[in-house]
């Protein structure tokens, strides 16, 4: 992602999440656990750091490419004495596996990994009072979300967010698409030239489309699918499979496919369109809305360097450093104060809709599917990530 992460199909390490409790009934994408009746689930009781001590001299981080760079990590080391040891991960599954070794203090987790880590007791709740930069300037849309805030406890310090947009080649798709129907319907005029995202979490994209076009299914949250709803999503995905030219997980390959004309329309990230350098490629957030991703720092429950880890989370939450990460990575920053630092910062924030909550109200951020229905239903059991992983294999054939 710049977006440099290589998100490939999750075919392993997909442990079932068996969680109990009451889920949020909030209609907004992501939900709000601070609201009355917010998400409450049974998770391991992991202690939270109560106060900061002296730095341990190092911090070990699993991160997406572009999140931990010398341009800001060297200065952090100078200021704190904490040497930064980085391990770049290519998938959320890899991040979960690495964090479970206990060898790493921090991870830059996306929503398709967060609940797995929380439910597994692999990460600890975060004492935000020890992170001064986690304050009023953090955009509201990245606080208190169900993918990293459980039982009123925060498990993640926001880094940035983005939408999964519909990208198209204006030389072939001459009218701006207003719907995702051009990539889902069997009679799409672009059949054989369509690209789709290659991961089980893409099932949620099908669910978003079904929410708008088959309301009788009763889907109100694309990450809360009962068996009937999951089956409908899989049927739609199999229908799409017949018209897809290729699935992508490697951003560089996706760019090459669009630039070379192998594909002309499909799921993308705004930064990939920008990196292509092609004016002919445009992007849009269709009328049905979309899925998206929101990344956050999470601290290991086995961290050997918790003080340095907290110092890093605070340091990277400052407007300057958070903005540098966002610009390097290609996303909306979590700290809105960055947008006021310069004309360049303001332009970046405008391009990535950093403070436009109306835009992000139409985005359903990746959330690990769990057996407890996060849409508030208590009379059914929803399908979990393991079931989604198995379903995705049937789609790909």
């Amino acid at each position: 992602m710049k977006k440099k992460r290589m998100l490939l199909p999750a075919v392993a390490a997909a442990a079932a999440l068996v969680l109990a409790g009451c889920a949020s009934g909030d209609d907004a994408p992501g939900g709000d656990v601070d609201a009355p009746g917010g998400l409450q689930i049974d998770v391991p009781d992991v202690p939270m750091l109560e106060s900061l001590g002296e730095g341990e001299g190092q911090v070990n981080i699993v991160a997406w490419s572009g999140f931990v760079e010398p341009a800001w990590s060297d200065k952090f080391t100078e200021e704190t004495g904490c040497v930064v040891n980085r391990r770049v991960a290519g998938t959320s599954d890899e991040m979960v596996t690495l964090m479970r070794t206990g060898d790493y203090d921090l991870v830059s987790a996306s929503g398709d990994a967060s609940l797995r880590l929380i439910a597994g007791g692999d990460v600890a709740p975060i004492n935000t009072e020890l992170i001064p930069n986690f304050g009023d300037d953090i955009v509201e849309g990245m606080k208190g979300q169900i993918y990293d805030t459980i039982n009123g406890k925060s498990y993640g310090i926001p880094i940035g967010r983005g939408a999964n947009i519909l990208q198209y080649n204006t030389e072939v798709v001459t009218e701006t698409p207003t719907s995702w129907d051009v990539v889902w319907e069997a009679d799409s005029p672009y059949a054989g030239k369509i690209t789709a995202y290659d991961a089980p979490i893409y099932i949620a994209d099908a669910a978003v489309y079904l929410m708008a076009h088959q309301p009788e299914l009763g889907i109100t949250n694309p990450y809360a699918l009962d068996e009937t709803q999951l089956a409908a999503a899989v049927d739609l995905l199999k229908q799409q499979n017949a018209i897809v030219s290729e699935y992508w997980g490697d951003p560089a390959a996706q760019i090459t496919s669009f630039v070379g004309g192998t594909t002309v329309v499909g799921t993308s990230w705004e930064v990939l369109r920008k990196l292509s350098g092609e004016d002919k490629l445009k992007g849009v957030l269709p009328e049905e809305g979309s899925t998206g991703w929101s990344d956050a720092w999470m601290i290991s429950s086995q961290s050997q360097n918790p003080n340095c880890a907290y110092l890093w989370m605070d340091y990277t939450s400052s407007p300057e450093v958070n903005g540098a990460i966002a610009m390097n990575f290609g996303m909306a920053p979590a700290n809105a104060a960055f947008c006021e630092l310069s004309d360049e910062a303001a332009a970046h924030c405008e391009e990535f809709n950093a403070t436009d909550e109306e835009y992000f109200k139409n985005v359903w951020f990746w959330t690990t599917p769990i057996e407890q229905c996060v849409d508030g239903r208590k009379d059914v059991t929803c399908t979990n990530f393991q079931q989604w992983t198995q379903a995705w294999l049937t789609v790909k054939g």
Side-chain angles (χ1 to χ4, degrees):
M1 314 181 193
K2 191 212 170 241
K3 252 183 167 260
K4 294 176 182 172
R5 70 180 79 168
M6 310 301 184
L7 288 175
L8 302 174
V11 297
L17 294 172
V18 184
L19 306 172
C22 303
S24 170
D26 197 332
D27 290 335
D32 182 357
V33 297
D34 293 328
L39 184 61
Q40 301 288 315
I41 60 178
D42 291 334
V43 297
D45 186 14
V46 179
M48 179 178 69
L49 189 67
E50 296 297 335
S51 61
L52 280 179
E54 292 294 323
E56 298 85 0
Q58 68 173 345
V59 60
N60 302 304
I61 305 174
V62 177
W64 298 122
S65 178
F67 273 45
V68 181
E69 300 296 333
W72 50 88
S73 62
D74 286 352
K75 184 177 179 182
F76 170 75
T77 299
E78 292 176 7
E79 293 181 358
T80 66
C82 301
V83 175
V84 179
N85 302 311
R86 178 191 69 170
R87 169 71 179 265
V88 173
T91 70
S92 288
D93 280 352
E94 183 182 0
M95 286 186 168
V96 171
T97 299
L98 289 172
M99 287 300 287
R100 286 177 174 165
T101 66
D103 295 335
Y104 300 92
D105 302 296
L106 288 170
V107 62
S108 61
S110 295
D112 57 339
S114 301
L115 284 182
R116 282 188 277 170
L117 292 169
I118 296 170
D122 304 301
V123 293
I126 294 173
N127 187 343
T128 57
E129 293 183 1
L130 302 181
I131 304 176
N133 282 316
F134 183 82
D136 294 338
D137 291 326
I138 301 298
V139 294
E140 287 302 316
M142 294 187 69
K143 293 181 179 180
Q145 299 300 304
I146 62 175
Y147 45 78
D148 62 13
T149 308
I150 303 298
N151 304 335
K153 297 179 180 180
S154 174
Y155 287 80
I157 296 300
I159 307 170
R161 59 182 173 174
N164 295 320
I165 62 170
L166 177 62
Q167 182 170 291
Y168 61 100
N169 184 333
T170 58
E171 293 180 355
V172 180
V173 185
T174 55
E175 294 187 11
T176 301
T178 59
S179 170
W180 286 102
D181 59 3
V182 294
V183 302
W184 289 114
E185 298 300 336
D187 61 354
S188 170
Y190 311 109
K193 294 284 187 177
I194 296 168
T195 185
Y197 192 53
D198 196 351
I201 203 68
Y202 185 64
I203 291 172
D205 291 66
V208 168
Y209 188 74
L210 292 173
M211 286 170 66
H213 296 274
Q214 293 187 37
E216 65 275 13
L217 288 170
I219 301 174
T220 60
N221 184 309
Y223 306 102
L225 305 181
D226 59 35
E227 291 186 0
T228 298
Q229 294 164 339
L230 177 62
V234 169
D235 285 344
L236 180 61
L237 287 158
K238 289 180 176 178
Q239 174 176 290
Q240 184 190 55
N241 180 265
I243 59 174
V244 164
S245 56
E246 61 184 44
Y247 291 92
W248 70 275
D250 180 342
Q254 192 258 26
I255 292 173
T256 299
S257 181
F258 263 102
V259 172
T262 302
T263 57
V264 300
V265 65
T267 304
S268 186
W269 299 313
E270 181 61 34
V271 66
L272 299 187
R273 184 195 64 77
K274 184 178 179 180
L275 286 175
S276 73
E278 295 284 341
D279 292 337
K280 67 182 180 181
L281 300 183
K282 302 296 181 183
V284 64
L285 188 68
E287 59 192 12
E288 296 93 352
S290 182
T291 59
W293 44 269
S294 181
D295 296 328
W297 298 116
M298 305 185 84
I299 185 169
S300 171
S301 57
Q302 304 177 64
S303 174
Q304 300 301 304
N305 307 290
N307 295 297
C308 281
Y310 266 79
L311 290 172
W312 174 264
M313 288 190 287
D314 185 52
Y315 174 77
T316 54
S317 295
S318 69
E320 296 81 3
V321 181
N322 180 248
I325 296 172
M327 291 190 71
N328 188 53
F329 193 68
M331 62 182 173
N335 194 323
F338 165 72
C339 304
E340 307 298 326
L341 295 182
S342 68
D343 290 343
E344 182 183 22
H348 177 87
C349 288
E350 181 176 0
E351 180 177 10
F352 289 91
N353 304 286
T355 59
D356 188 352
E357 294 303 332
E358 287 301 313
Y359 176 88
F360 283 110
K361 279 184 179 179
N362 297 311
V363 178
W364 295 87
F365 293 109
W366 286 344
T367 302
T368 309
I370 59 178
E371 292 185 1
Q372 175 189 315
C373 297
V374 297
D375 60 3
R377 287 180 294 168
K378 302 174 185 177
D379 57 341
V380 298
T381 298
C382 278
T383 52
N384 59 36
F385 189 73
Q386 183 180 35
Q387 290 170 288
W388 281 39
T389 301
Q390 293 169 343
W392 184 245
L393 293 177
T394 70
V395 171
K396 295 293 294 295

Tab-separated table of all heavy atoms in Angstrom, residues 139-185:
chain	number	residue	atom	x	y	z
A	139	VAL	N	-9.838	12.307	14.505
A	139	VAL	CA	-11.162	12.413	13.901
A	139	VAL	C	-12.143	11.474	14.599
A	139	VAL	O	-11.802	10.336	14.940
A	139	VAL	CB	-11.116	12.112	12.385
A	139	VAL	CG1	-10.316	13.168	11.651
A	139	VAL	CG2	-10.534	10.740	12.102
A	140	GLU	N	-13.351	11.967	14.805
A	140	GLU	CA	-14.344	11.218	15.563
A	140	GLU	C	-14.688	9.885	14.917
A	140	GLU	O	-14.968	8.902	15.598
A	140	GLU	CB	-15.613	12.052	15.736
A	140	GLU	CG	-15.453	13.188	16.715
A	140	GLU	CD	-15.035	12.714	18.101
A	140	GLU	OE1	-15.612	11.715	18.585
A	140	GLU	OE2	-14.135	13.326	18.698
A	141	GLY	N	-14.658	9.845	13.583
A	141	GLY	CA	-15.033	8.624	12.876
A	141	GLY	C	-14.070	7.471	13.071
A	141	GLY	O	-14.359	6.345	12.645
A	142	MET	N	-12.926	7.721	13.734
A	142	MET	CA	-11.972	6.644	13.982
A	142	MET	C	-11.881	6.300	15.465
A	142	MET	O	-11.000	5.546	15.881
A	142	MET	CB	-10.594	7.021	13.439
A	142	MET	CG	-10.560	7.140	11.927
A	142	MET	SD	-8.896	7.382	11.260
A	142	MET	CE	-8.161	5.782	11.585
A	143	LYS	N	-12.782	6.841	16.248
A	143	LYS	CA	-12.821	6.526	17.671
A	143	LYS	C	-14.019	5.627	17.968
A	143	LYS	O	-15.079	5.754	17.346
A	143	LYS	CB	-12.952	7.806	18.502
A	143	LYS	CG	-11.750	8.735	18.464
A	143	LYS	CD	-12.016	9.949	19.340
A	143	LYS	CE	-10.850	10.901	19.378
A	143	LYS	NZ	-11.118	12.088	20.231
A	144	GLY	N	-13.865	4.736	18.937
A	144	GLY	CA	-14.985	3.949	19.430
A	144	GLY	C	-15.657	3.057	18.414
A	144	GLY	O	-16.873	2.883	18.438
A	145	GLN	N	-14.888	2.470	17.506
A	145	GLN	CA	-15.455	1.603	16.474
A	145	GLN	C	-15.398	0.133	16.911
A	145	GLN	O	-14.525	-0.273	17.675
A	145	GLN	CB	-14.719	1.798	15.161
A	145	GLN	CG	-14.810	3.209	14.616
A	145	GLN	CD	-16.239	3.642	14.341
A	145	GLN	OE1	-16.969	2.977	13.593
A	145	GLN	NE2	-16.668	4.739	14.943
A	146	ILE	N	-16.340	-0.663	16.404
A	146	ILE	CA	-16.469	-2.027	16.897
A	146	ILE	C	-15.312	-2.935	16.519
A	146	ILE	O	-15.166	-4.013	17.089
A	146	ILE	CB	-17.788	-2.679	16.431
A	146	ILE	CG1	-17.841	-2.783	14.905
A	146	ILE	CG2	-18.977	-1.921	16.969
A	146	ILE	CD1	-19.059	-3.522	14.390
A	147	TYR	N	-14.474	-2.517	15.569
A	147	TYR	CA	-13.372	-3.381	15.185
A	147	TYR	C	-12.191	-3.272	16.147
A	147	TYR	O	-11.290	-4.110	16.105
A	147	TYR	CB	-12.911	-3.100	13.750
A	147	TYR	CG	-12.766	-1.636	13.399
A	147	TYR	CD1	-11.659	-0.899	13.807
A	147	TYR	CD2	-13.744	-0.993	12.655
A	147	TYR	CE1	-11.533	0.437	13.490
A	147	TYR	CE2	-13.627	0.347	12.327
A	147	TYR	CZ	-12.519	1.052	12.742
A	147	TYR	OH	-12.405	2.392	12.418
A	148	ASP	N	-12.139	-2.254	17.011
A	148	ASP	CA	-11.014	-2.189	17.952
A	148	ASP	C	-11.376	-1.584	19.308
A	148	ASP	O	-10.479	-1.282	20.102
A	148	ASP	CB	-9.833	-1.424	17.341
A	148	ASP	CG	-10.154	0.026	17.014
A	148	ASP	OD1	-11.195	0.524	17.471
A	148	ASP	OD2	-9.351	0.657	16.303
A	149	THR	N	-12.649	-1.439	19.606
A	149	THR	CA	-13.083	-0.930	20.906
A	149	THR	C	-14.158	-1.857	21.448
A	149	THR	O	-15.259	-1.930	20.899
A	149	THR	CB	-13.625	0.507	20.799
A	149	THR	OG1	-12.657	1.321	20.128
A	149	THR	CG2	-13.916	1.078	22.171
A	150	ILE	N	-13.831	-2.589	22.503
A	150	ILE	CA	-14.704	-3.634	23.025
A	150	ILE	C	-14.963	-3.397	24.508
A	150	ILE	O	-14.059	-3.082	25.278
A	150	ILE	CB	-14.062	-5.027	22.828
A	150	ILE	CG1	-13.749	-5.267	21.341
A	150	ILE	CG2	-14.971	-6.127	23.369
A	150	ILE	CD1	-14.952	-5.262	20.435
A	151	ASN	N	-16.231	-3.572	24.889
A	151	ASN	CA	-16.621	-3.444	26.302
A	151	ASN	C	-16.182	-2.109	26.890
A	151	ASN	O	-15.796	-2.011	28.056
A	151	ASN	CB	-16.050	-4.592	27.130
A	151	ASN	CG	-16.458	-5.953	26.608
A	151	ASN	OD1	-17.492	-6.088	25.950
A	151	ASN	ND2	-15.664	-6.965	26.879
A	152	GLY	N	-16.218	-1.071	26.064
A	152	GLY	CA	-15.849	0.257	26.509
A	152	GLY	C	-14.351	0.497	26.600
A	152	GLY	O	-13.917	1.572	27.015
A	153	LYS	N	-13.554	-0.501	26.205
A	153	LYS	CA	-12.096	-0.374	26.269
A	153	LYS	C	-11.515	-0.217	24.870
A	153	LYS	O	-11.900	-0.933	23.945
A	153	LYS	CB	-11.479	-1.593	26.944
A	153	LYS	CG	-11.893	-1.787	28.394
A	153	LYS	CD	-11.249	-3.036	28.973
A	153	LYS	CE	-11.653	-3.257	30.424
A	153	LYS	NZ	-11.029	-4.481	30.996
A	154	SER	N	-10.584	0.706	24.749
A	154	SER	CA	-9.919	0.916	23.466
A	154	SER	C	-8.734	-0.029	23.331
A	154	SER	O	-7.894	-0.119	24.232
A	154	SER	CB	-9.437	2.360	23.349
A	154	SER	OG	-8.673	2.534	22.167
A	155	TYR	N	-8.672	-0.732	22.206
A	155	TYR	CA	-7.550	-1.617	21.928
A	155	TYR	C	-6.700	-1.084	20.769
A	155	TYR	O	-5.728	-1.737	20.386
A	155	TYR	CB	-8.046	-3.016	21.576
A	155	TYR	CG	-8.570	-3.811	22.751
A	155	TYR	CD1	-9.858	-3.604	23.243
A	155	TYR	CD2	-7.776	-4.777	23.377
A	155	TYR	CE1	-10.346	-4.339	24.322
A	155	TYR	CE2	-8.253	-5.516	24.453
A	155	TYR	CZ	-9.539	-5.290	24.926
A	155	TYR	OH	-10.025	-6.018	25.999
A	156	GLY	N	-7.067	0.054	20.216
A	156	GLY	CA	-6.345	0.566	19.063
A	156	GLY	C	-6.192	2.074	19.076
A	156	GLY	O	-7.108	2.791	19.486
A	157	ILE	N	-5.024	2.552	18.654
A	157	ILE	CA	-4.780	3.978	18.475
A	157	ILE	C	-4.793	4.248	16.978
A	157	ILE	O	-3.933	3.755	16.242
A	157	ILE	CB	-3.426	4.391	19.086
A	157	ILE	CG1	-3.441	4.168	20.595
A	157	ILE	CG2	-3.131	5.852	18.772
A	157	ILE	CD1	-4.503	4.944	21.357
A	158	PRO	N	-5.773	5.012	16.479
A	158	PRO	CA	-5.961	5.195	15.040
A	158	PRO	C	-4.732	5.745	14.320
A	158	PRO	O	-4.023	6.605	14.847
A	158	PRO	CB	-7.129	6.190	14.969
A	158	PRO	CG	-7.835	6.047	16.276
A	158	PRO	CD	-6.763	5.747	17.272
A	159	ILE	N	-4.517	5.226	13.118
A	159	ILE	CA	-3.420	5.693	12.272
A	159	ILE	C	-3.970	6.370	11.022
A	159	ILE	O	-3.573	7.479	10.673
A	159	ILE	CB	-2.512	4.524	11.859
A	159	ILE	CG1	-2.033	3.741	13.089
A	159	ILE	CG2	-1.307	5.049	11.065
A	159	ILE	CD1	-1.343	2.434	12.760
A	160	GLY	N	-4.889	5.698	10.334
A	160	GLY	CA	-5.456	6.271	9.111
A	160	GLY	C	-6.539	5.380	8.554
A	160	GLY	O	-6.761	4.264	9.035
A	161	ARG	N	-7.235	5.862	7.526
A	161	ARG	CA	-8.351	5.126	6.946
A	161	ARG	C	-8.497	5.437	5.463
A	161	ARG	O	-7.953	6.412	4.952
A	161	ARG	CB	-9.655	5.484	7.662
A	161	ARG	CG	-9.996	6.973	7.600
A	161	ARG	CD	-11.269	7.315	8.356
A	161	ARG	NE	-11.491	8.759	8.414
A	161	ARG	CZ	-12.588	9.334	8.905
A	161	ARG	NH1	-13.565	8.571	9.378
A	161	ARG	NH2	-12.711	10.651	8.927
A	162	GLY	N	-9.249	4.580	4.783
A	162	GLY	CA	-9.504	4.787	3.365
A	162	GLY	C	-10.668	3.935	2.896
A	162	GLY	O	-11.058	2.973	3.560
A	163	ALA	N	-11.214	4.288	1.760
A	163	ALA	CA	-12.345	3.561	1.182
A	163	ALA	C	-11.868	2.670	0.043
A	163	ALA	O	-10.872	2.962	-0.627
A	163	ALA	CB	-13.390	4.534	0.665
A	164	ASN	N	-12.581	1.573	-0.154
A	164	ASN	CA	-12.365	0.731	-1.328
A	164	ASN	C	-13.256	1.272	-2.431
A	164	ASN	O	-14.476	1.097	-2.409
A	164	ASN	CB	-12.698	-0.719	-1.008
A	164	ASN	CG	-11.759	-1.300	0.031
A	164	ASN	OD1	-10.571	-1.033	0.008
A	164	ASN	ND2	-12.293	-2.078	0.963
A	165	ILE	N	-12.647	1.958	-3.378
A	165	ILE	CA	-13.406	2.671	-4.407
A	165	ILE	C	-13.599	1.825	-5.664
A	165	ILE	O	-12.959	0.782	-5.835
A	165	ILE	CB	-12.707	3.986	-4.795
A	165	ILE	CG1	-11.317	3.693	-5.398
A	165	ILE	CG2	-12.598	4.915	-3.589
A	165	ILE	CD1	-10.649	4.898	-6.030
A	166	LEU	N	-14.485	2.303	-6.536
A	166	LEU	CA	-14.676	1.710	-7.855
A	166	LEU	C	-13.805	2.501	-8.829
A	166	LEU	O	-14.046	3.675	-9.084
A	166	LEU	CB	-16.141	1.777	-8.277
A	166	LEU	CG	-16.466	1.257	-9.681
A	166	LEU	CD1	-16.123	-0.224	-9.814
A	166	LEU	CD2	-17.935	1.495	-10.011
A	167	GLN	N	-12.779	1.851	-9.348
A	167	GLN	CA	-11.873	2.503	-10.293
A	167	GLN	C	-12.242	2.093	-11.721
A	167	GLN	O	-12.645	0.960	-11.959
A	167	GLN	CB	-10.429	2.106	-9.985
A	167	GLN	CG	-9.391	2.771	-10.878
A	167	GLN	CD	-7.993	2.512	-10.365
A	167	GLN	OE1	-7.606	3.015	-9.317
A	167	GLN	NE2	-7.217	1.707	-11.095
A	168	TYR	N	-12.085	3.032	-12.652
A	168	TYR	CA	-12.449	2.721	-14.030
A	168	TYR	C	-11.578	3.484	-15.017
A	168	TYR	O	-11.031	4.545	-14.709
A	168	TYR	CB	-13.928	3.030	-14.283
A	168	TYR	CG	-14.309	4.485	-14.084
A	168	TYR	CD1	-14.449	5.350	-15.172
A	168	TYR	CD2	-14.540	5.002	-12.811
A	168	TYR	CE1	-14.795	6.687	-14.998
A	168	TYR	CE2	-14.896	6.333	-12.613
A	168	TYR	CZ	-15.018	7.161	-13.713
A	168	TYR	OH	-15.351	8.494	-13.538
A	169	ASN	N	-11.441	2.915	-16.205
A	169	ASN	CA	-10.671	3.493	-17.294
A	169	ASN	C	-11.622	4.315	-18.165
A	169	ASN	O	-12.502	3.769	-18.826
A	169	ASN	CB	-10.020	2.369	-18.109
A	169	ASN	CG	-9.125	2.882	-19.220
A	169	ASN	OD1	-9.314	3.980	-19.738
A	169	ASN	ND2	-8.150	2.069	-19.617
A	170	THR	N	-11.444	5.627	-18.161
A	170	THR	CA	-12.378	6.509	-18.863
A	170	THR	C	-12.341	6.349	-20.375
A	170	THR	O	-13.266	6.774	-21.067
A	170	THR	CB	-12.083	7.975	-18.513
A	170	THR	OG1	-10.710	8.290	-18.855
A	170	THR	CG2	-12.302	8.225	-17.023
A	171	GLU	N	-11.286	5.723	-20.895
A	171	GLU	CA	-11.227	5.500	-22.338
A	171	GLU	C	-12.159	4.370	-22.769
A	171	GLU	O	-12.517	4.262	-23.943
A	171	GLU	CB	-9.784	5.186	-22.761
A	171	GLU	CG	-8.837	6.364	-22.584
A	171	GLU	CD	-7.415	6.027	-23.008
A	171	GLU	OE1	-7.166	4.837	-23.341
A	171	GLU	OE2	-6.566	6.927	-22.999
A	172	VAL	N	-12.535	3.520	-21.824
A	172	VAL	CA	-13.438	2.403	-22.110
A	172	VAL	C	-14.775	2.598	-21.413
A	172	VAL	O	-15.839	2.442	-22.026
A	172	VAL	CB	-12.805	1.063	-21.661
A	172	VAL	CG1	-13.753	-0.103	-21.970
A	172	VAL	CG2	-11.451	0.848	-22.328
A	173	VAL	N	-14.719	2.942	-20.133
A	173	VAL	CA	-15.937	3.239	-19.367
A	173	VAL	C	-16.156	4.739	-19.491
A	173	VAL	O	-15.686	5.535	-18.672
A	173	VAL	CB	-15.769	2.821	-17.895
A	173	VAL	CG1	-17.079	3.006	-17.128
A	173	VAL	CG2	-15.300	1.374	-17.791
A	174	THR	N	-16.869	5.144	-20.522
A	174	THR	CA	-16.942	6.563	-20.874
A	174	THR	C	-17.919	7.361	-20.022
A	174	THR	O	-17.834	8.592	-19.975
A	174	THR	CB	-17.327	6.710	-22.359
A	174	THR	OG1	-18.549	5.993	-22.608
A	174	THR	CG2	-16.227	6.141	-23.253
A	175	GLU	N	-18.858	6.692	-19.362
A	175	GLU	CA	-19.766	7.374	-18.451
A	175	GLU	C	-19.406	6.999	-17.019
A	175	GLU	O	-19.168	5.829	-16.712
A	175	GLU	CB	-21.223	6.988	-18.742
A	175	GLU	CG	-21.727	7.471	-20.092
A	175	GLU	CD	-23.218	7.203	-20.262
A	175	GLU	OE1	-23.871	6.834	-19.260
A	175	GLU	OE2	-23.710	7.346	-21.388
A	176	THR	N	-19.370	7.996	-16.137
A	176	THR	CA	-19.007	7.737	-14.746
A	176	THR	C	-19.988	6.760	-14.110
A	176	THR	O	-21.191	7.031	-14.061
A	176	THR	CB	-19.017	9.049	-13.935
A	176	THR	OG1	-18.088	9.962	-14.517
A	176	THR	CG2	-18.623	8.784	-12.490
A	177	PRO	N	-19.528	5.617	-13.632
A	177	PRO	CA	-20.430	4.649	-12.998
A	177	PRO	C	-21.008	5.235	-11.708
A	177	PRO	O	-20.306	5.915	-10.958
A	177	PRO	CB	-19.522	3.459	-12.694
A	177	PRO	CG	-18.298	3.656	-13.531
A	177	PRO	CD	-18.135	5.135	-13.657
A	178	THR	N	-22.257	4.966	-11.458
A	178	THR	CA	-22.882	5.403	-10.209
A	178	THR	C	-23.190	4.216	-9.298
A	178	THR	O	-23.554	4.403	-8.145
A	178	THR	CB	-24.189	6.164	-10.484
A	178	THR	OG1	-25.085	5.304	-11.204
A	178	THR	CG2	-23.908	7.417	-11.308
A	179	SER	N	-23.026	3.009	-9.829
A	179	SER	CA	-23.358	1.800	-9.089
A	179	SER	C	-22.268	0.753	-9.272
A	179	SER	O	-21.538	0.754	-10.279
A	179	SER	CB	-24.698	1.230	-9.573
A	179	SER	OG	-24.931	-0.066	-9.041
A	180	TRP	N	-22.198	-0.150	-8.295
A	180	TRP	CA	-21.288	-1.288	-8.391
A	180	TRP	C	-21.807	-2.347	-9.367
A	180	TRP	O	-21.157	-3.385	-9.567
A	180	TRP	CB	-21.104	-1.935	-7.024
A	180	TRP	CG	-20.241	-1.174	-6.067
A	180	TRP	CD1	-20.647	-0.400	-5.024
A	180	TRP	CD2	-18.808	-1.137	-6.049
A	180	TRP	NE1	-19.561	0.125	-4.353
A	180	TRP	CE2	-18.417	-0.323	-4.957
A	180	TRP	CE3	-17.813	-1.728	-6.837
A	180	TRP	CZ2	-17.083	-0.069	-4.638
A	180	TRP	CZ3	-16.487	-1.481	-6.527
A	180	TRP	CH2	-16.132	-0.657	-5.436
A	181	ASP	N	-22.959	-2.118	-9.979
A	181	ASP	CA	-23.538	-3.141	-10.850
A	181	ASP	C	-22.616	-3.510	-12.009
A	181	ASP	O	-22.680	-4.625	-12.540
A	181	ASP	CB	-24.914	-2.728	-11.361
A	181	ASP	CG	-24.919	-1.424	-12.154
A	181	ASP	OD1	-23.839	-0.834	-12.366
A	181	ASP	OD2	-26.023	-0.987	-12.548
A	182	VAL	N	-21.729	-2.589	-12.395
A	182	VAL	CA	-20.835	-2.865	-13.522
A	182	VAL	C	-19.819	-3.953	-13.216
A	182	VAL	O	-19.183	-4.491	-14.130
A	182	VAL	CB	-20.105	-1.571	-13.971
A	182	VAL	CG1	-21.095	-0.572	-14.554
A	182	VAL	CG2	-19.319	-0.959	-12.822
A	183	VAL	N	-19.647	-4.285	-11.927
A	183	VAL	CA	-18.706	-5.360	-11.595
A	183	VAL	C	-19.403	-6.593	-11.025
A	183	VAL	O	-18.762	-7.634	-10.850
A	183	VAL	CB	-17.624	-4.885	-10.598
A	183	VAL	CG1	-16.852	-3.711	-11.160
A	183	VAL	CG2	-18.212	-4.544	-9.242
A	184	TRP	N	-20.701	-6.485	-10.742
A	184	TRP	CA	-21.409	-7.605	-10.125
A	184	TRP	C	-22.390	-8.315	-11.053
A	184	TRP	O	-22.588	-9.535	-10.938
A	184	TRP	CB	-22.178	-7.135	-8.885
A	184	TRP	CG	-21.308	-6.789	-7.722
A	184	TRP	CD1	-21.122	-5.558	-7.158
A	184	TRP	CD2	-20.487	-7.680	-6.954
A	184	TRP	NE1	-20.253	-5.617	-6.103
A	184	TRP	CE2	-19.840	-6.923	-5.953
A	184	TRP	CE3	-20.236	-9.055	-7.018
A	184	TRP	CZ2	-18.968	-7.486	-5.028
A	184	TRP	CZ3	-19.363	-9.615	-6.094
A	184	TRP	CH2	-18.741	-8.832	-5.116
A	185	GLU	N	-23.026	-7.595	-11.949
A	185	GLU	CA	-24.079	-8.194	-12.757
A	185	GLU	C	-23.515	-8.973	-13.942
A	185	GLU	O	-22.559	-8.533	-14.596
A	185	GLU	CB	-25.054	-7.118	-13.244
A	185	GLU	CG	-25.782	-6.397	-12.111
A	185	GLU	CD	-26.617	-7.334	-11.239
A	185	GLU	OE1	-27.018	-8.420	-11.733
A	185	GLU	OE2	-26.874	-6.995	-10.068
